[in-house]
Amino acid sequence: MTGPHRPAWAEISRGALKRNLRRLVNRARPAQILPVIKANAYGHGLAAVGRLLQAEGVFSVAVALVREGVALRFEGFRGRILLIEPLLPRDVPEAMKHRLTPQVSSLEEARRLNTTARRAGLTRFKVQVEVDTGMGRVGFRPEDLLRDYPRLVRLPNLGVEAFYTHLATADWSDGAYAKKQIALFHALRDKLAPHSPADLPAPLWHLANSAALLGKIPGTQGDWMRPGLALYGVAPNPRLGHALGLEPVMTLKASILQVKRIAKGDSVGYNRTFIAKRPMKIAVLSAGYADGVHRSLSNKGSCLVRGRKVPLVGTICMDMCMADVTRVPNVKAGDVAVLFGKSGRASLPVEEQALAAGTIPYELLCAVGERVERVYV
Ligand SMILES: *Cc1c(COP(=O)(O)O)cnc(C)c1O
């Protein structure tokens, strides 16, 4: 059986997504959850995931782009949409029009937002302040924030709703560094607290990513927690995932287009990177790097065919890839292969495929191409 419209498709389990959400909500309590659904909800489909989250009572989400926030509004998402990437000046009016919540990383940005808010007749337009405590990406440097915060809070048309920071060690590979970031963040909050306007609620705070939430890292609970990867049932670090029993949400499937026998010495695919050492049976799959099967999986990755894990052989093409099915009986064109996820009782975790590709599961999930239809089950 093949997918409905295209020979490669991604099955998204709504049930798994809901159950993961429940697990994370319970884990985070009393903090609220602010799921990160940037990059098309890590490839799972922004619109469908946004609708599901809203139906499950989630009020706040985070995305990177104004375009993503606007798409969510068109889907009817009414809650808070935090933009975790700084706004380009030309996007400010659009963000305000759709009541998206920008992060601010500099006084200059805050002033620009203030001006646009004033022109739009908005008072206390809500923003969140990001602090760079060690990620080395966006956000105020701590010393800059200490200097600029008193001026920032006096901008009459803005209201600082929250402070947040982002941990550099998403996979919890360096706990000591994360602890330093966490301590620095709290020290800053303490120093800034007296400067917050008395007539506004005290700013809220958040800093947890999936790893911090799963690992219950002290000092990360905050008012919100911002899991991304964990929501999709994938652990940034296998040790952290299993504790909560998260379930993978996505299974990437492709149809087998042809099965052929090749002789010893024959090659498979571009540049002849695979030469058969003996007679073999090769299956051609209808997914390639344009669908999210990384080219770095050439001769390294695997797939599931008829419940068995078999190696990908030859160079991954744009639309197709090939697998060695010599040992799998009865394979025929029209069968379904799984590039990651589940196939009956067999499973090929995206974490494992990512390791073979020399990358992280995040990248394999969001690499799943636009032309791969998402089928919600
Ligand atoms: C992507 C991102 C997250 C989510 O990280 P995960 O490791 O997927 O949980 C949280 N916060 C910010 C600022 C991010 O960019």
Side-chain angles (χ1 to χ4, degrees), residues 36 38 42 84 137 164 166 170 209-210 226-229 362:
V36 180
K38 62 195 177 192
Y42 290 43
I84 54 176
R137 197 173 67 179
Y164 74 95
H166 191 42
N209 55 10
S210 292
R226 306 189 305 268
L229 196 66
Y362 297 79

